Amino acid sequence: AMRQVFERIVADVDLHWATMNLYYYSEFQGAKGIESLAERLADTNPQLSEQLFHHADDEFRHAEMIADIM
């Protein structure tokens, strides 16, 4: 069932573009939220903050990869 959905998305240029933009937006906004949380936790929980910064970096890289594809 999912394969059919993906095939339909890829076959429709406008839908494919919209989907890629949605993925980019989700990754980028998620990274910003994680980064903000990491900044707030830096003083009270530095270990968790560092892990969250690494996670945010991963999400920013995902957004960049999607942007490169587009």
Side-chain angles (χ1 to χ4, degrees), residues 1-64:
M2 284 305 296
R3 182 177 180 88
Q4 291 171 327
V5 171
F6 286 124
E7 287 173 355
R8 185 172 177 195
I9 290 171
V10 172
D12 183 328
V13 175
D14 292 332
L15 184 57
H16 192 193
W17 186 254
T19 302
M20 293 300 288
N21 273 309
L22 176 63
Y23 287 156
Y24 170 80
Y25 181 82
S26 296
E27 293 287 341
F28 187 78
Q29 293 302 316
K32 285 176 49 178
I34 294 166
E35 187 177 61
S36 176
L37 177 60
E39 289 170 353
R40 288 191 310 241
L41 292 173
D43 292 334
T44 58
N45 195 334
Q47 283 182 318
L48 179 57
S49 176
E50 183 177 338
Q51 290 174 350
L52 288 170
F53 274 120
H54 287 296
H55 184 66
D57 286 342
D58 288 341
E59 297 303 321
F60 279 123
R61 273 194 300 279
H62 296 158
E64 185 177 325

